[in-house]
């Protein structure tokens, strides 16, 4: 079983749509959580950290459910520029700064 | 401000050769990590260095080694290259301490033929 699992997609949505990505993690010692986005053949870029209370950054909302070991990302009013692969990432307590990545969910926003 | 810089950006090597990849972290960042990303997968952790000491090692063979220099730059070395080592190699830097935010360089795309 992978430590971080994501639906690989692809998700093809029209501009303006709301899209949600889900992620589960298996290690209960996971302590820090992030969403990264990665454009084709580019490096991953930090989109947002995820906090237990949930957090929002503009059109993006992230939620964490520690009891279910579940992380989500909601994108509202999708833009063409949101097309990318979204990576769910966790850091496990005691593993220094090692980040464990999911395989990513591919999103294409269509005009 | 410069972000994380890596060199070279692309590299083609032959099986059995060795390769050295280089990374300069964001100014002020003392932690450098290396990741390998093969097509269709998320990055996989290889090494982490902090203040020139190895702080973490992923599940990679001993053919992979790294070091960090006094100026916090880092090198990743891979010996006896295999076809399966073809991947995007990413360097990441972070401040250290309680700040977990990690920033990646553009990567070195290594092709082994």
């Amino acid at each position: 079983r992978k430590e971080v699992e994501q639906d690989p997609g692809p998700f093809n949505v029209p501009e303006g749509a709301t899209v949600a990505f889900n992620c589960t993690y298996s290690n209960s010692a996971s302590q820090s959580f992030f969403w990264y986005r990665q454009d084709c053949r580019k490096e991953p870029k930090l989109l947002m950290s995820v906090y237990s209370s949930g957090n929002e950054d503009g059109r993006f909302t992230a939620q964490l459910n520690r009891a279910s070991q579940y992380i989500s990302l909601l994108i509202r009013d999708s833009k063409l520029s949101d097309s990318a692969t979204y990576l769910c990432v966790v850091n496990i307590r005691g593993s220094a700064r090692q980040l464990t990545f999911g395989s990513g969910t591919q999103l294409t926003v269509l005009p | 401000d410069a972000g994380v810089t890596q060199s070279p950006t692309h590299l083609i090597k032959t099986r059995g050769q060795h390769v050295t990849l280089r990374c300069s972290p964001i100014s002020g960042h003392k932690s450098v990590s290396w990741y390998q990303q093969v097509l269709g997968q998320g990055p996989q952790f290889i090494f982490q260095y902090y203040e020139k000491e190895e702080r973490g090692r992923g599940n990679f063979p001993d053919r992979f080694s790294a070091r960090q220099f006094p100026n916090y730059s880092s090198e990743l070395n891979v010996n006896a290259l295999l076809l399966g080592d073809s991947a995007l190699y990413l360097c990441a830097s972070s401040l250290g301490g309680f700040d977990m935010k990690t920033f990646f360089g553009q990567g070195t795309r290594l092709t082994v033929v």
Side-chain angles (χ1 to χ4, degrees):
Chain A
R1 183 184 174 190
K2 288 184 180 177
E3 291 201 65
V4 179
E5 298 219 45
Q6 296 182 247
D7 182 341
F11 284 56
N12 297 317
V13 302
E15 259 187 300
T18 295
V19 61
F21 302 136
N22 303 319
C23 167
T24 57
Y25 59 94
S26 61
N27 194 322
S28 59
S30 298
Q31 62 177 0
S32 301
F33 308 88
F34 308 91
W35 283 101
Y36 278 74
R37 70 168 279 167
Q38 187 171 28
D39 294 293
C40 188
R41 302 182 74 81
K42 300 280 192 182
E43 75 275 20
K45 290 186 178 174
L46 178 64
L47 181 65
M48 57 198 302
S49 303
V50 187
Y51 304 113
S52 295
S53 53
N55 48 302
E56 191 173 304
D57 183 2
R59 297 181 294 109
F60 298 84
T61 301
Q63 298 275 357
L64 167 64
N65 184 321
R66 287 186 185 268
S68 303
Q69 297 185 186
Y70 170 92
I71 307 163
S72 66
L73 177 68
L74 185 77
I75 306 176
R76 291 182 300 278
D77 189 23
S78 299
K79 312 289 185 194
L80 296 177
S81 57
D82 293 334
S83 298
T85 296
Y86 289 82
L87 297 159
C88 177
V89 185
V90 307
N91 167 257
I92 298 166
R93 190 181 311 119
S95 69
R97 310 193 81 75
Q98 175 180 341
L99 298 178
T100 302
F101 285 78
S103 296
T105 299
Q106 188 182 340
L107 171 67
T108 301
V109 181
L110 304 167
Chain B
D1 280 345
V4 181
T5 57
Q6 291 186 242
S7 63
T9 54
H10 295 81
L11 204 49
I12 299 175
K13 290 286 192 177
T14 304
R15 273 179 300 176
Q17 287 188 314
H18 76 272
V19 67
T20 298
L21 310 182
R22 295 178 174 85
C23 170
S24 293
I26 293 170
S27 176
H29 284 195
K30 297 181 179 180
S31 174
V32 171
S33 301
W34 288 94
Y35 290 79
Q36 181 197 65
Q37 187 175 24
V38 299
L39 201 59
Q41 298 295 318
Q44 261 201 297
F45 174 76
I46 309 175
F47 286 110
Q48 189 238 332
Y49 279 79
Y50 181 74
E51 290 279 14
K52 301 183 292 294
E53 287 189 9
E54 182 183 301
R55 294 296 183 93
R57 174 185 283 253
N59 188 21
F60 280 81
D62 291 344
R63 299 184 296 106
F64 289 76
S65 64
R67 54 180 176 166
Q68 186 177 33
F69 299 100
N71 66 353
Y72 303 112
S73 67
S74 178
E75 281 182 357
L76 175 70
N77 293 284
V78 187
N79 292 325
L81 285 166
L82 304 174
L83 296 179
D85 295 331
S86 297
L88 179 67
Y89 288 85
L90 294 159
C91 175
S93 82
S94 58
L95 266 173
F98 292 106
D99 189 338
M100 286 298 306
K101 289 181 186 151
T102 302
F103 302 90
F104 286 84
Q106 84 281 9
T108 294
R109 192 163 297 279
L110 173 65
T111 302
V112 183
V113 298

